[in-house]
Every structure is written in structure tokens, then in C-alpha cells.
Amino acid sequence: MKPICISCVAILLSGVAARSQPVAEQPSIDPAGIKGAVVLAGDELPSEAMDAFHRLGGGAEARLVVLRIGDGDKTKEVSSRLTSHWSGKEWKSLQAHRLGAGGRVDEEALSALRSATGVWLACENASGYRETFHVDSIRSEIRSLQGRGGVFGIAGEGVTVATARTFTNEGIDGDVVSLGPNLLPGAIVETLSPSGEGASRLLATMAAQPGMFGCEIDANAALVAQGRRLRAVGGGGVRLHLAASGSRPAKQIDLDDSRAIADLT
């Protein structure tokens, strides 16, 4: 099916760099879109998201790594679901590694990350994800993965953390603001609970950060981004919110399995 070209998204994104005030130099929005691909899934982690990740990772040639942070029940459940789902498919290699205390990565895990075509990060909560993304080796390997055309996957609370431009943490001398992963430049992304909780938070965050577009992902859906293409998979919905600007009113774009944004520039 022919993809949808949304010109107003290009107008919105073109003004992000000019209007935002980052704490340090942020990655620019490449006209070609993001490098590699990302799969941003809701809390229920639909099978379609795992299928898309496997395909983007290379299918039968995929070298997949599940990186588990800690031993929480939710973390172990997600890790088990991923490896179980992919065990029924063809791939070159499938490995699961657990991060050590403080996000420490051993040499075996680092070796797996450096040759991976797809990496999925699983953790118990947002604070654990933030701590992990502060580890230089993790951030570096995720960037390298995308740079060589690989796919990065994450679900639930981790989605908002992985797409954040900045983190604010308490320090001895007050709040410390540092760069976030910013894996989907120009976007503020929230995953919703089955009851829909999180929607109002997204709109409030958009109001505080002019020049950004918003994205809501239902618990049983996922947003798949590759280059300039954004599409939804799963039984739930994905909604893009474009803020009002000048004479242009605010707009919501509903995505489903049959629709995609192919050209953001």
C-alpha cells in the first residue's frame, strides 16, 4: 500500500533545532531520517512488534541480543517472552545477557553487542532504564548498532526514556541535566496503560517543549521507525500529535497496520 506523506510533519520538524534549547549539542534531524531502526512497544509487547524486530534485524541472518537489566519479575518475563518467540524463527544467533551492578557490561556481552544486528533492552522500571542509558558503553554500542543499520527495541516505560532528549537527576548542588538517548529526534513519546493513562501527560509535555511532535502508543501496539518511515503494528493504535503553529491548528494522525508516514522531510 502506498505510504502517506505528511508535509506538516516536515514543517514541524524543521523548526525543532531552532526553537528548542538543549543543554548541549543534540543530534541534528537528518533529512534521511534515523539511522537503522527502532521498535517502540507498549507494555503488552505484541507479537507483531517482536516479528518486526526480527525482520529488521535480518531475519534468517539476524544476530539478536536481549540485554536484561537486573532480576525483576517483569524483566525476566519480557526477556523470556522475547527469546521464546524468536526461538521458533530462523536466525544466525540469539543471546541473552544480564547487566551487572551499576549497568556494568562484561566482555562477553560487549562482544555480542558489537556484532549484533538487533538489541532489545529489558528492565523493570524507568529509573533502571535511565541508569542504564547513563552507561557510556551502552550508549556507544546502541549508536554503533544503528550506525551499521541495526534495530534497537524497547517496551513500556523504557520507550519514554529511550526517546528523551534530556534527563534531570538530583545532584549534590541541585538538579543535573544531561543528554538523553534521543533515539527518535523531534518526538515526545508516551506508552499508555490499558486504561489510557499517560495521554494527558503527553499533551502537557508537548506544551512545555515547543517544536516537538507527540506520539502515543497503546499498550498492545508498537511504533516501528526506520529511516523516515513510521508505522504501527499490533492490535492497538499509535497516534501522532502535531502542535498548533501560526494559522495551522493542532492535528492528530491515527496510524494502523495499513498506514505509514514515509516522507518526513
Side-chain angles (χ1 to χ4, degrees):
M1 179 169 291
K2 185 178 180 180
I4 302 168
C5 175
I6 307 296
S7 59
C8 56
V9 178
I11 296 171
L12 179 65
L13 292 183
S14 66
V16 171
R19 289 194 294 268
S20 61
Q21 299 295 325
V23 297
E25 183 179 355
Q26 289 284 350
S28 59
I29 300 173
D30 192 329
I34 65 171
K35 294 181 179 179
V38 293
V39 177
L40 308 174
D43 237 353
E44 295 180 6
L45 187 53
S47 59
E48 294 89 344
M50 293 185 279
D51 289 340
F53 181 89
H54 173 263
R55 177 180 59 79
L56 291 167
E61 297 299 311
R63 294 185 296 276
L64 307 180
V65 175
V66 178
L67 200 57
R68 179 164 60 90
I69 308 163
D71 293 312
D73 291 342
K74 183 177 180 180
T75 305
K76 289 191 287 187
E77 179 188 354
V78 169
S79 179
S80 176
R81 282 191 61 197
L82 291 167
T83 54
S84 176
H85 186 86
W86 294 326
S87 65
K89 298 181 178 294
E90 292 185 76
W91 30 259
K92 200 98 170 182
S93 66
L94 174 58
Q95 301 182 50
H97 294 272
R98 179 188 179 280
L99 283 187
R104 187 180 68 254
V105 186
D106 60 31
E107 284 303 318
E108 184 180 359
L110 271 179
S111 176
L113 291 175
R114 287 167 180 163
S115 63
T117 59
V119 175
W120 195 288
L121 192 61
C123 185
E124 199 72 11
N125 51 45
S127 62
Y129 281 115
R130 281 193 292 270
E131 181 180 348
T132 301
F133 279 115
H134 271 121
V135 178
D136 289 341
S137 59
I138 296 295
R139 293 168 67 102
S140 175
E141 291 307 325
I142 291 173
R143 291 295 181 193
S144 295
L145 169 73
Q146 291 186 291
R148 59 180 181 265
V151 56
F152 177 76
I154 200 164
E157 293 181 80
V159 169
T160 300
V161 177
T163 55
R165 290 189 303 164
T166 59
F167 293 144
T168 302
N169 296 298
E170 293 183 1
I172 296 175
D173 299 318
D175 289 347
V176 177
V177 180
S178 57
L179 292 178
N182 199 31
L183 296 184
L184 195 61
I188 300 169
V189 187
E190 288 278 1
T191 54
L192 307 188
S193 68
S195 64
E197 182 182 353
S200 60
R201 182 171 58 243
L202 173 65
L203 298 179
T205 305
M206 287 178 61
Q209 299 186 44
M212 305 287 284
F213 74 93
C215 177
E216 292 174 340
I217 303 173
D218 286 343
N220 59 338
L223 176 70
V224 179
Q226 183 181 29
R228 299 185 309 203
R229 182 184 294 267
L230 303 177
R231 65 187 181 90
V233 298
V238 173
R239 292 164 295 283
L240 303 182
H241 293 273
L242 310 182
S245 176
S247 61
R248 188 182 70 246
K251 184 175 183 179
Q252 175 177 312
I253 301 170
D254 297 319
L255 301 181
D256 58 36
D257 283 335
S258 63
R259 305 183 72 187
I261 298 177
D263 190 355
L264 299 180
T265 58

